[in-house]
Amino acid sequence: KEYIQFYLSKWKWFLLSFVLFFSIYAYYIKHKLPSYNVQAIVLVKDDDGGVISELSPFEDLGIGIGGKGKAIENEIEILKSRFLFTKVAKELDLNIQIFDNNNYKKNEYFINKPLDIEIKRDDSLLLNSEYEFEINCISVDKFEIKDVTTDEKQIAFFGKPFKINNINEIKIKFIDKINLNINESKYIIKIVRINEVVDNLKKSIKIEKVNKESSALSISTKIENINKGIAIINNLIKQHKLDAIEDKNMVAKNTIIFINDRIKYITNELS
């Protein structure tokens, strides 16, 4: 009874703790970006040619792997390769990211980006550097840009090159000036190291067999921007196909060179 009275005497603190906890939880839920599961299923053609799929061109090109199980394991390792993920990151410009800075959620733009960013700089330096800028539109022609790292600010004009930090030339174009709302045109631009982007891709994308007996592979990821997730998975499959075609062409070229050399050798021997 004494314990009950003790806790009842502290009911205000319990109530305050509950309200505080609930408020924090509600704030977190309100401002947390939703995550989406994006998945693609691709089929690996077996040795008997029984399955046709998005990856079947590799078999049609004569790129053999010997054994159904071994073929699937090889495809998984190729799809997981750093080489292919780097191609995906570069083609989709995943190291240059644009975020909405008008609210707490900081949504990332991927499709229908409001800004077009052109950077003229040594490629090796750009791919291994990190920057973060805040963009505040002043009018349809100019904007203020702030380097978050150094707090450097300057006024720049859309479509005209300028220099900031150690980027010698950067040009930012506003894509839809007609519908520009100055009060709601605040953005964050992040330039991330390409190696960091590739590391994140390798961690976030899961590639595995659908089941032990199936010839199907599941390529999936959990991501906040669903359009970005779809583009990444589609581009990974695309790069896989292009890489296989390139390898096949190289094999064919080397085979022709070898045959021509042998014919030339035999001709010389016979003469």
Side-chain angles (χ1 to χ4, degrees):
K1 190 174 181 179
E2 293 179 358
Y3 285 112
I4 295 174
Q5 290 179 345
F6 172 79
Y7 285 113
L8 287 176
S9 65
K10 306 292 182 182
W11 69 269
K12 293 181 179 179
W13 291 106
F14 286 114
L15 179 61
L16 180 62
S17 299
F18 174 78
V19 171
L20 182 61
F21 173 79
F22 184 79
S23 300
I24 294 173
Y25 177 75
Y27 179 87
Y28 172 77
I29 293 298
K30 181 179 179 180
H31 295 93
K32 183 182 181 296
L33 292 172
S35 294
Y36 301 92
N37 289 314
V38 181
Q39 183 183 38
I41 303 295
V42 294
L43 302 177
V44 179
K45 194 173 182 180
D46 61 22
D47 292 335
D48 297 326
V51 179
I52 299 176
S53 69
E54 290 194 60
L55 295 180
S56 63
F58 299 112
E59 294 290 339
D60 296 334
L61 290 168
I63 299 177
I65 337 181
K68 178 178 176 181
K70 191 69 174 176
I72 295 175
E73 293 297 330
N74 287 341
E75 295 295 344
I76 291 174
E77 291 306 313
I78 293 170
L79 284 163
K80 285 181 176 179
S81 68
R82 192 173 191 85
F83 175 72
L84 286 188
F85 279 124
T86 300
K87 280 191 167 184
V88 172
K90 288 183 178 180
E91 181 162 313
L92 297 179
D93 288 328
L94 297 181
N95 62 316
I96 301 177
Q97 303 163 359
I98 303 174
F99 297 87
D100 182 4
N101 197 26
N102 291 290
N103 54 55
Y104 292 104
K105 288 191 176 182
K106 303 292 187 287
N107 295 298
E108 181 182 1
Y109 291 100
F110 189 77
I111 294 178
N112 299 324
K113 293 182 179 180
L115 304 175
D116 178 42
I117 302 167
E118 298 177 15
I119 300 175
K120 184 177 180 181
R121 188 181 160 184
D122 180 78
D123 189 62
S124 62
L125 291 175
L126 179 60
L127 296 179
N128 293 286
S129 301
E130 283 194 357
Y131 304 94
E132 183 173 342
F133 305 112
E134 291 181 355
I135 301 287
N136 292 323
C137 291
I138 299 173
S139 69
V140 294
D141 298 315
K142 62 182 179 179
F143 59 92
E144 179 188 75
I145 182 168
K146 173 186 174 183
D147 187 327
V148 175
T149 304
T150 64
D151 282 334
E152 175 189 353
K153 292 182 181 179
Q154 68 180 83
I155 303 298
F157 292 86
F158 287 117
K160 294 186 178 180
F162 62 94
K163 178 179 179 181
I164 189 168
N165 201 313
N166 60 342
I167 300 179
N168 293 324
E169 187 174 313
I170 179 171
K171 186 190 296 183
I172 299 177
K173 297 178 182 177
F174 203 95
I175 295 175
D176 189 7
K177 285 188 176 182
I178 297 175
N179 297 315
L180 173 62
N181 185 335
I182 302 298
N183 296 324
E184 297 181 0
S185 297
K186 299 177 181 179
Y187 308 98
I188 294 174
I189 298 173
K190 291 184 179 180
I191 301 174
V192 187
R193 293 185 181 91
I194 200 74
N195 286 333
E196 183 178 330
V197 174
V198 173
D199 288 339
N200 290 334
L201 287 176
K202 286 178 68 65
K203 291 176 184 176
S204 63
I205 295 182
K206 184 185 294 185
I207 304 171
E208 58 188 359
K209 296 180 185 178
V210 172
N211 57 60
K212 291 182 179 180
E213 301 301 324
S214 174
S215 296
L217 294 180
S218 168
I219 305 175
S220 62
T221 186
K222 190 173 183 179
I223 195 168
E224 292 176 348
N225 190 312
I226 189 170
N227 293 318
K228 185 176 182 179
I230 293 171
I232 289 171
I233 290 178
N234 286 339
N235 197 269
L236 179 60
I237 296 172
K238 170 189 170 183
Q239 297 301 337
H240 187 282
K241 290 182 179 181
L242 293 176
D243 187 60
I245 292 171
E246 186 178 340
D247 285 347
K248 176 59 182 176
N249 290 338
M250 186 177 297
V251 170
K253 181 179 178 181
N254 291 336
T255 301
I256 292 172
I257 293 173
F258 173 76
I259 292 173
N260 288 338
D261 288 344
R262 296 305 299 171
I263 292 174
K264 184 177 180 180
Y265 172 78
I266 294 172
T267 302
N268 291 335
E269 286 292 312
L270 292 174
S271 61

